[in-house]
Structures are given as structure tokens and as C-alpha cells.
């Protein structure tokens, strides 16, 4: 639900709102319940998911502690990590997903281990557990045998790979052989999914691999909505569940820029080739006839060829991270530096600038939260502006940030609610659709150090400020745009 007005906000106002959210998360972390009758910060089901459970809240409080220089936020985050451990002990996590499984716990613990070495042994154990989980999973590659959760950013291989790489950066020599083996296997798998044999693309999802629920006989059955909309299968184009997440994961410097000769260099060449191919595929699948780049949520298979049917009528997706042009642009931003071709980043910038020409009602940004709302958009524009130094991207970042802050309401338990598609407010503290994600987005706009959290959203580390298409420095040097000034939070070193 879009607020009526959204005047320009200053960094000081952003810091005030961020502190208020952090204080409310900290207060509610002290007990089983939460403030104002909202759901527990531990998650409605007491889960250990990064998406809406304790690990995501821990991550937000860790960055609040860094920006504000207050240990109480760090301790509150540590409490959430303990709750994560308790939940995992009560209900072991058997799936490796980044937002829904072990990889998410690894990610949160990695962030704490960067500041507190006592977490390193736990991180080593969890990373090895994640590696062994991924090595035990069958990874299908034939077109028609692949489900989105096999490869995607939310629950699939793209997220697993990013978590393993991030943990290895912190663990160094303490990372196990299994972790390295698993990362290599995941890279090879994602590269293979980009191969085009002339028929159906390998990431095509057939009805037999749709998300499912238990049927009348107790056996899994595809969600009825999917079968109705996509009777012959579907190509998913969202960052969350489609190939943009694969592209982003492959663009990690430690994946695309492996040093040395022999096998490692050969693998890097394969990765760079896959990045180029996938970026070209996304460019081809954009909607024709618009004055700016845009994509649909999904594409149907052509009845004759089985390939994505770009000739059928298409509606541009909402302007969000999970689905839509901004998320696809975020996946294209690092591709130029990875493959040496300026075109992907140029397309990303054109896409992000084009959002300004999209009417507000067509942007369909009804929430201030991260996954499908303004916090995700603010984070995308903040990274893009820092990478390119373009003043228009800084200006748009500030515009979206002001719209985000206009949603703040002290009567809501966590200050920023999430809204359902029907406009009903939901109050939760989680990362993807709750206050923790809003807090991280706000902190990232006022602190260079806090902005590093966005690696979680984009699966790639934040690039050096001012690195434009192809990795070159921009003329502006990537300085903060008007209204930001590179402010550092109170107490930040």
C-alpha cells in the first residue's frame, strides 16, 4: 500500500528510523513473544529459515551493531543465533537452501564469524554439513527434468554455491575438502544448465516438476494454480526462481576469475562463456515494443519448438527483486566484469533507468519490504549507483528510499509492515518480507560497511565503488550521489 506522500529524507532521518527498527527487534528478541502482539521474531513456526526466521534477524542486528557501535544489538543477534541452534536441534534442517535451509544458517554464522572468531569452529562444521548435503543431492540437467528449486537462488544450487564460497572466504584453510568438492560440482552444474542444444532450454520446468502439495492420497501433486496457468510447463524469469539467480552466482569473482593454469583456468573459461550465453539469453527474452527493457514473470513454451515463446502477449512483471526488471538488472550488473563484455551492464543500467518511466501503478510496489517491495529496490539502486557512479541512479535510489521511509508507522509493531496483495498489513520481523530486511536496506544506504550485506541478495560480493561496465572506473569515481554523501553511522569505525 503506497503512502500518500514521500518527501525527500536525509541520512539522519534514515538512521533514526533504522535505530527504531533495531530497537524494536532487540526488545522483542528478549522473550518468546514480540512487541505489540506481533508474531514472534523466532518465526511463526519456530524455524531456522533465513527468509523469515531467527538467522535473518541476527544478520540485521549484526549490521545495526556495526553501524551504531552498540554491543547490545550484537548480543541480541547472538541470541537469535542461539535460537537458530535450538530450532535446528529440535527439527534438524535436511535441505541445503539459502533462504530455506542449511545454507542460510551458514550465511548468518559466516557474518558473525567475520567479527567474532569464536564462531569459526561452528562455521566449519556447518559448512561441511552443507557441502555433504549438496553432494548427496541428484542434480538433473536434461530439459524437462529440472525444477526451479534444483538451481534457483531461494532454495537451489545458486544459493548453495554462494554460501559455500562465502564461508570458504572466511574459513580459509579450515574449509574441508568436501566444501571445495561441492562448490566445484555446483559450478559445473550451473554451467551445464546454460547450454543450449537447440530445443527446450535446460531450465525449462515441466508440470511434473512444479511446486507441489500433498494430494488426496497423500502423494505430492502440483499446485492447481500452476497447472491452470502453465499446462505445458513454464520458463521462470525471476531472480528468485529463474536463471538470473544462476547468472549472479556464476559472476562471483572466485568462480569466474579463478587464477592459475590447467583445470582451474579451463573451468573459468567455461564459466565466462556460460555467463555470456545466459546474459544474451536474458536479453533475447525481454519484451519487445517497449521504450525501456522489461521482462514478464514467466514465459510459456512455444507449442512447436518448446523454446520460450516471446511472440505471445506479455505483461511486464512488477518492479521488484524477486521478479521483474530490477532483479534481472541486478543479475546483469556484474556480468560485464566477469565476461569482459560491456553489454550486460549497459543493459542493466538501461533497465534501471527505464523504471522511472514506468507508472507507479504498474510498478506494483505495495510493500516497504525486501523481496517484492521498496527495500529490495533501494538496495538494487544503491549497488548499481555505487558500481557505476551514475548520478541518475543515485537520484533514483534516494527517491525510492524516500518512498520506503514514508511507510514508517509507529503504530506498527516493527515500524514497517508487509502488505498482502489485498492491502492487508502483516507484522513480522523476518528478512524477506519483514522488518529485518527493511533495516538492512536502510543501513546499506548510509554506511559503506553495512552495504556489504547486499551480497546475500545478489549472491556476488559488492564490487569496488565506481567500477562500471567491463570493470573500468567511472569518471565520477563512484562517489555518493546528492543526498547521501557517504555518511557513516554513529559509532562506525
Amino acid at each position: 500500500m503506497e503512502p500518500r506522500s514521500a518527501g525527500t529524507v536525509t541520512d539522519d532521518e534514515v538512521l533514526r528510523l533504522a535505530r527504531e527498527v533495531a530497537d524494536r527487534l532487540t526488545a522483542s528478541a528478549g522473550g518468546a513473544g514480540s512487541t505489540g502482539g506481533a508474531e514472534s521474531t523466532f518465526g511463526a513456526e519456530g524455524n531456522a529459515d533465513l527468509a523469515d526466521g531467527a538467522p535473518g534477524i541476527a544478520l540485521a542486528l549484526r549490521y545495526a551493531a556495526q553501524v551504531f557501535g552498540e554491543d547490545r544489538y550484537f548480543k541480541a543477534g547472538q541470541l537469535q543465533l542461539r535460537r537458530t541452534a535450538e530450532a535446528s536441534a529440535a527439527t534438524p534442517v535436511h535441505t541445503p537452501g539459502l533462504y530455506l535451509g542449511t545454507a542460510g544458517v551458514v550465511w548468518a554464522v559466516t557474518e558473525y564469524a567475520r567479527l567474532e572468531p569464536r564462531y569459526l569452529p561452528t562455521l566449519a562444521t556447518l559448512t561441511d554439513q552443507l557441502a555433504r548435503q549438496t553432494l548427496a543431492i541428484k542434480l538433473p540437467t536434461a530439459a524437462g527434468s529440472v525444477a526451479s528449486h534444483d538451481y534457483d537462488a531461494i532454495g537451489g544450487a545458486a544459493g548453495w554455491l554462494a554460501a559455500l564460497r562465502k564461508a570458504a572466504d572466511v574459513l580459509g584453510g579450515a574449509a574441508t575438502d568436501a566444501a571445495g568438492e561441492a562448490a566445484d560440482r555446483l559450478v559445473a552444474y550451473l554451467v551445464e544448465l546454460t547450454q543450449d542444444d537447440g530445443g527446450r532450454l535446460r531450465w525449462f520446468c515441466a508440470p511434473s516438476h512444479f511446486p507441489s502439495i500433498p494430494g488426496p492420497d497423500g502423494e505430492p501433486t502440483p499446485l492447481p494454480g500452476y497447472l491452470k496457468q502453465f499446462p505445458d510447463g513454464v520458463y521462470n524469469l525471476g531472480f528468485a526462481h529463474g536463471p538470473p539467480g544462476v547468472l549472479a552466482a556464476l559472476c562471483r569473482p572466485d568462480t569466474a576469475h579463478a587464477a592459475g593454469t590447467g583445470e582451474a583456468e579451463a573451468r573459468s573459461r567455461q564459466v565466462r562463456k556460460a555467463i555470456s550465453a545466459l546474459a544474451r539469453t536474458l536479453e533475447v527474452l525481454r519484451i519487445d515494443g517497449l521504450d525501456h527493457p522489461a521482462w514478464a514473470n514467466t514465459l510459456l513454451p512455444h507449442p512447436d519448438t518448446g523454446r520460450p515463446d516471446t511472440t505471445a502477449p506479455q505483461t511486464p512483471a512488477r518492479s521488484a527483486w524477486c521478479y521483474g526488471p530490477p532483479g534481472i538488472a541486478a543479475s546483469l550488473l556484474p556480468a560485464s566484469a566477469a565476461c569482459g563484455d560491456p553489454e550486460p551492464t549497459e543493459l542493466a543500467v538501461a533497465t534501471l533507468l527505464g523504471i522511472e518511466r514506468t507508472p507507479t501503478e504498474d510498478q506494483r510496489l505495495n510493500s516497504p519490504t525486501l523481496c517484492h517491495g521498496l527495500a529490495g529496490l533501494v538496495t538494487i539502486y544503491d549497488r548499481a549507483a555505487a558500481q557505476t557512479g551514475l548520478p541518475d541512479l543515485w537520484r533514483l535510489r534516494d527517491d525510492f528510499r524516500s518512498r520506503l521511509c514514508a511507510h514508517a508507522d509507529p503504530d506498527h509493531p516493527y515500524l514497517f509492515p508487509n502488505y498482502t496483495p489485498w492491502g492487508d498489513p502483516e507484522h513480522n520481523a523476518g528478512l524477506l518480507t519483514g522488518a529485518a530486511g527493511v533495516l538492512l536496506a536502510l543501513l546499506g544506504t548510509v554506511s559503506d560497511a553495512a552495504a556489504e550485506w547486499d551480497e546475500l541478495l545478489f549472491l556476488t560480493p559488492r564490487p569496488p565503488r565506481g567500477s562500471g561496465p567491463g570493470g573500468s572506473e567511472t569518471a565520477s569515481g563512484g562517489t555518493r550521489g546528492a543526498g547521501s554523501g557517504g555518511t557513516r553511522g554513529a559509532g562506525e569505525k
Side-chain angles (χ1 to χ4, degrees), residues 13-184:
E13 290 174 300
V14 170
L15 284 166
R16 178 184 62 80
L17 291 173
R19 183 183 288 275
E20 178 68 18
V21 176
D23 285 345
R24 294 187 183 208
L25 290 177
T26 299
S28 64
S34 62
T35 60
E39 290 181 350
S40 167
T41 62
F42 194 25
E45 291 78 35
N47 61 53
D49 289 352
L50 183 64
D52 62 4
I57 302 164
L59 183 67
L61 290 171
R62 171 248 191 264
Y63 277 101
Q66 185 169 359
V67 171
F68 294 114
E70 296 189 20
D71 191 52
R72 64 191 180 98
Y73 295 133
F74 195 81
K75 290 180 178 178
Q78 289 178 306
L79 174 59
Q80 295 294 345
L81 288 187
R82 287 197 292 274
R83 288 177 165 178
T84 300
E86 292 167 1
S88 299
T91 306
V93 180
H94 297 296
T95 58
L98 178 57
Y99 286 93
L100 302 172
T102 306
V105 180
V106 167
W107 197 283
V109 174
T110 300
E111 287 282 19
Y112 275 78
R114 289 173 59 193
L115 302 180
E116 176 50 74
R118 286 181 295 179
Y119 284 101
L120 288 172
T122 299
L123 177 61
T125 300
L126 287 170
T127 303
D128 186 68
Q129 176 184 337
L130 172 61
R132 296 183 185 282
Q133 283 182 336
T134 64
L135 288 170
I137 292 175
K138 180 181 178 181
L139 298 174
T141 57
S145 68
V146 179
S148 62
H149 61 255
D150 291 325
Y151 66 81
D152 68 16
I154 296 294
W160 313 340
L161 174 61
L164 285 169
R165 293 293 204 202
K166 183 178 180 66
D169 288 344
V170 173
L171 289 171
T176 65
D177 291 342
E181 180 185 353
D184 289 345

Side-chain angles (χ1 to χ4, degrees), residues 2 318 358-365 403:
E2 192 76 21
R318 72 165 103 198
T358 303
T360 299
E361 59 271 20
D362 292 336
Q363 292 175 6
R364 303 201 295 281
L365 292 164
R403 286 172 60 182

Side-chain angles (χ1 to χ4, degrees), residues 342-426:
E343 290 189 4
T345 300
E346 290 171 355
L347 176 58
V349 170
T351 300
L352 294 176
L353 293 177
I355 299 300
E356 188 172 24
R357 297 193 294 276
T358 303
T360 299
E361 59 271 20
D362 292 336
Q363 292 175 6
R364 303 201 295 281
L365 292 164
N366 70 319
S367 284
T369 46
L370 197 62
C371 182
H372 50 266
L374 286 158
L377 209 57
V378 166
T379 307
I380 290 172
Y381 278 86
D382 192 75
R383 175 177 277 223
Q387 178 176 332
T388 65
L390 292 175
D392 279 342
L393 291 177
W394 284 121
R395 175 179 55 81
L396 288 168
R397 191 289 306 263
D398 288 344
D399 289 347
F400 286 119
R401 186 176 73 165
S402 295
R403 286 172 60 182
L404 166 61
C405 291
H407 280 276
D409 186 340
D411 292 333
H412 290 303
Y414 299 111
L415 199 64
F416 291 95
N418 184 58
Y419 288 99
T420 69
W422 303 275
D424 300 320
E426 298 176 330

